[in-house]
Every structure is written in structure tokens, then in C-alpha cells.
């Protein structure tokens, strides 16, 4: 049986580690917040991240941002200096591609293979084990990781070399943000002109404007059950996380000198929304309020 070290047991990492335990893996867990370790039933809490890295086959991290990942792997007591030879490293956090490449290069210098494997699917996907993994790194390393990744998610894509998983993730989330803003704008225009948001949504779903938010994540309250718009935009994918991902998309575009006017506009609209409505901890579909502020009350 494979032994796995898992660091970062927050909203995403906790249920991901839990699914690995349920699949029969021995999982050593660590988080700076102690009670998150005992929340992973069947996991073995560790005193430090370094302890998590010893005597394992696969090390997985799920952390907030690039600086945390760099410090965890590449710092003075970094994981790349603690692991046994042959340990496979997988970072599932959403971070900038440049840091992912830098940390992977440092791991290779220590004869360790590392994958960047950010995810899509949110906390619901983490709970259900249905995440999509976008993987950057050596194909052989991905094949070595595949069985473990498939416990946490059904779709595992090889995007390319180190950092490519993170590039795929920022492209996807930039497109998602643009689609959500455009959908909220079109729905507001229809309602302002006397249409019912549900009727308009059905028409657009079956027409050339159809898209993912319309199909499964409608931002207009009253159109769909079991989505954040149906519960005051609580839960779901936070505005704070979307603005973080759009920031990563802007950084990535700067590095490649790519022009991303739609992404930049979407980022600024989410920023205005966050500040105007104190919406950072609401689901990102609450961008509907920017177009229909009366929905807030
Ligand atoms: P979170 O803040 O809930 O969890 C992060 C955890 O990392 C925290 O428990 C924190 O204590 C821990 N941590 C930070 N530094 C640490 C260290 N040095 N050692 C040990 N533990 C440490 O965040 P989350 O929602 O679980 O997101 C994690 C990552 O997944 C982020 O990069 C995020 O962008 C990405 N992501 C989140 C979602 C989502 O819907 N929440 C969806 C897709 C991707």
C-alpha cells in the first residue's frame, strides 16, 4: 500500500485527504491549524510538515498561494530536502506558473520529480472526489501519480511541462470569470426590458449564447435550485478566490506579453463588486448584484 503525505487541509485539502484515506491509502497529514488534522478521520497527524515528508511514496500539498508553496518545498527545512529518493511531489494549489516551475526545478536538482496539478471543481468536487486535475510535469511522473489523482477526481489531463497545469488553470478560470460576467450582464439587460430571467435563460441555453453558468450555475436568483444564487450567494467559489485567480492570469499574461483585455475587465469588475458590496466571501455568481443592486435587499 502506498503511503502519502498531505499538507494543507483547508476547504479543499481536507476532503481530498479524506478521500485518499477512504480509498485505503495510509495518509500522514499536517496543517498549521491543528484541529484540521484531527478532522481528517483515519489520517495520521504529524508535528511538522517535514515529518509528513518522511517514509512516504507521494507528497501532496494544497496551499493558499505561491509564497506558501515556495516556502514549504524550497525553504530551509523544505520538503525537497526531507523526502526519501524516489518520492513523487504533487502540488495541487493554484499558484503562478513561474513559482511552480521554480520549485519543480529545485526538486529536480534534488533528483525528485514534481508535478503541478491544480484542480477545478471546487469544494463540492473535492468532497465528491470528482475534481478535474490539470497537470504539468513529466508524463512518466503523471502516470506514476495517476491512480492517486483518480481517487480525488475523474478527469486527469496532461497539459505539458512543469507550470503548464497552472497555465491551463488560469486560462480556464479567466474564461469562467468572463462567461459569468457576460451572463449576468445579458440577464440584467433582459430583465430590464421586461423578460423573465428563467425564460431568457432557457432561450439562451438552447441558443448560441449557451454556456456553463447558464447550464449549471445560473447567477440570477430564482432561476435554478441548489446553486449559490438560490441561497444568497453563500458557499460556492468565493469572489476572493476568483480575484486571486484573475490576478494570476494577469501576471501570466504580463510574462508572455499576451493581451487579455476581457480578463482585465472581468478582474476589475469583480474588484469593484467586492469593494462596493463587501462581497469577497460570497460566491462569484454574486457579480449579478453589480448589474442589479436591488437584488441585494
Ligand atoms: P484554505 O485557506 O481553506 O486552506 C489552505 C490551508 O493551508 C489552510 O488550512 C492553512 O492553514 C494551510 N497552510 C498554509 N500554509 C501552510 C503550511 N506552511 N503548512 C501547513 N499548512 C499550511 O484554502 P482552499 O480553499 O482549501 O484552497 C487551497 C488551494 O486550492 C488554493 O490555492 C485555491 O486557490 C485552490 N482552489 C480552491 C478552490 C475552492 O473552491 N476553495 C477551488 C479550486 C482551487
Amino acid at each position: 500500500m502506498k503511503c502519502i503525505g498531505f499538507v494543507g487541509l483547508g476547504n479543499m485539502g481536507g476532503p481530498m485527504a479524506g478521500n485518499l484515506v477512504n480509498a485505503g491509502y495510509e495518509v500522514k497529514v499536517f496543517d498549521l491549524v491543528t484541529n484540521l488534522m484531527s478532522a481528517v478521520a483515519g489520517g495520521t497527524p504529524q508535528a511538522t510538515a517535514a515529518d509528513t515528508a518522511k517514509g512516504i511514496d507521494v507528497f501532496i500539498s494544497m496551499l493558499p498561494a505561491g509564497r506558501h508553496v515556495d516556502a514549504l518545498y524550497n525553504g530551509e527545512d523544505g520538503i525537497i530536502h526531507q523526502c526519501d529518493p524516489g518520492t513523487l511531489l504533487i502540488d495541487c494549489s493554484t499558484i503562478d506558473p513561474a513559482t511552480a516551475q521554480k520549485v519543480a526545478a529545485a526538486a529536480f536538482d534534488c533528483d525528485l520529480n514534481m508535478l503541478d496539478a491544480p484542480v477545478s471543481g471546487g469544494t463540492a468536487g473535492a468532497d465528491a472526489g470528482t475534481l478535474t486535475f490539470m497537470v504539468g510535469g513529466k508524463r512518466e511522473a503523471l502516470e506514476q501519480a495517476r491512480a492517486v489523482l483518480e481517487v480525488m477526481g475523474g478527469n486527469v489531463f496532461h497539459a505539458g511541462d512543469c507550470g503548464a497545469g497552472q497555465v491551463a488553470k488560469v486560462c480556464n478560470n479567466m474564461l469562467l470569470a468572463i462567461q459569468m460576467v457576460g451572463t449576468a450582464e445579458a440577464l440584467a439587460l433582459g430583465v430590464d426590458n421586461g423578460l423573465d430571467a428563467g425564460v431568457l435563460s432557457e432561450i439562451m441555453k438552447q441558443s448560441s449564447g449557451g454556456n456553463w453558468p447558464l447550464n449549471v450555475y445560473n447567477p440570477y436568483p430564482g432561476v435554478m435550485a441548489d446553486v449559490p444564487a438560490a441561497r444568497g450567494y453563500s458557499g460556492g467559489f468565493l469572489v476572493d478566490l476568483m480575484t486571486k485567480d484573475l490576478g494570476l492570469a494577469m501576471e501570466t499574461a504580463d510574462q508572455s506579453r499576451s493581451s487579455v483585455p476581457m480578463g482585465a475587465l472581468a478582474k476589475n469588475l469583480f474588484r469593484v463588486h467586492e469593494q462596493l458590496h463587501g462581497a469577497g466571501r460570497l460566491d462569484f455568481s454574486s457579480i449579478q448584484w453589480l448589474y442589479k443592486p436591488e437584488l441585494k435587499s
Side-chain angles (χ1 to χ4, degrees):
M1 182 182 63
K2 276 199 167 146
C3 183
I4 297 172
F6 203 117
V7 169
L9 306 168
N11 294 322
M12 297 293 291
M16 289 164 74
N19 284 332
L20 291 169
V21 172
N22 292 339
Y25 289 103
E26 185 187 338
V27 185
K28 295 179 171 189
V29 293
F30 178 73
D31 195 289
L32 296 175
V33 180
T34 319
N35 60 7
L36 291 178
M37 294 193 264
S38 43
V40 180
T44 315
Q46 304 293 306
T48 66
D51 292 335
T52 312
K54 290 177 182 127
I56 55 165
D57 304 287
V58 178
F59 180 86
I60 302 176
S61 54
M62 192 52 161
L63 300 178
R67 66 181 186 284
H68 306 101
V69 173
D70 193 25
L72 176 72
Y73 286 92
N74 214 5
E76 208 170 303
D77 288 327
I79 296 301
I80 58 174
H81 307 297
Q82 311 293 332
C83 282
D84 299 334
T87 307
L88 177 62
L89 310 177
I90 308 174
D91 178 45
C92 296
S93 326
T94 301
I95 66 170
D96 58 296
T99 299
Q101 285 162 350
K102 177 189 157 194
V103 176
F108 291 145
D109 286 346
C110 296
D111 288 328
L112 294 164
N113 260 323
M114 179 154 189
L115 300 170
D116 48 293
V119 303
S120 179
T123 51
D127 278 333
T130 56
L131 294 169
T132 293
F133 285 91
M134 309 167 201
V135 184
K138 290 188 180 150
R139 192 177 279 282
E140 316 83 81
L142 167 56
E143 291 317 319
Q144 205 187 329
R146 186 175 287 280
V148 169
L149 296 179
E150 283 180 348
V151 168
M152 299 179 284
N155 294 312
V156 179
F157 294 101
H158 187 226
D161 288 340
C162 293
Q166 298 295 351
V167 175
K169 170 75 183 175
V170 297
C171 291
N172 179 72
N173 278 26
M174 185 178 82
L175 177 59
L176 172 62
I178 293 167
Q179 282 188 335
M180 185 57 86
V181 171
T183 300
E185 187 169 301
L187 288 171
L189 176 65
V191 171
D192 287 347
N193 285 277
L195 268 65
D196 176 82
V199 171
L200 176 58
S201 294
E202 274 313 304
I203 292 169
M204 294 195 294
K205 265 165 71 175
Q206 305 305 328
S207 305
S208 45
N211 61 45
W212 186 86
L214 280 175
N215 286 339
V216 301
Y217 215 91
N218 197 296
Y220 210 94
V223 175
M224 231 174 224
D226 295 331
V227 291
R231 47 175 191 268
Y233 301 107
S234 64
F237 186 59
L238 303 186
V239 167
D240 277 348
L241 283 175
M242 183 51 97
T243 48
K244 171 200 161 186
D245 289 359
L246 288 167
L248 294 175
M250 298 304 106
E251 279 175 37
T252 306
D254 270 350
Q255 300 234 334
S256 55
R257 299 181 64 82
S258 304
S259 163
V260 285
M262 304 287 284
L265 179 57
K267 176 171 181 259
N268 279 300
L269 289 171
F270 275 103
R271 195 61 94 199
V272 170
H273 171 50
E274 173 210 324
Q275 291 179 3
L276 202 62
H277 298 124
R281 308 293 299 166
L282 294 180
D283 178 72
F284 79 117
S285 64
S286 62
I287 194 74
Q288 190 69 66
W289 283 355
L290 208 54
Y291 295 94
K292 298 293 284 175
E294 64 271 29
L295 291 173
K296 196 177 171 187
S297 47

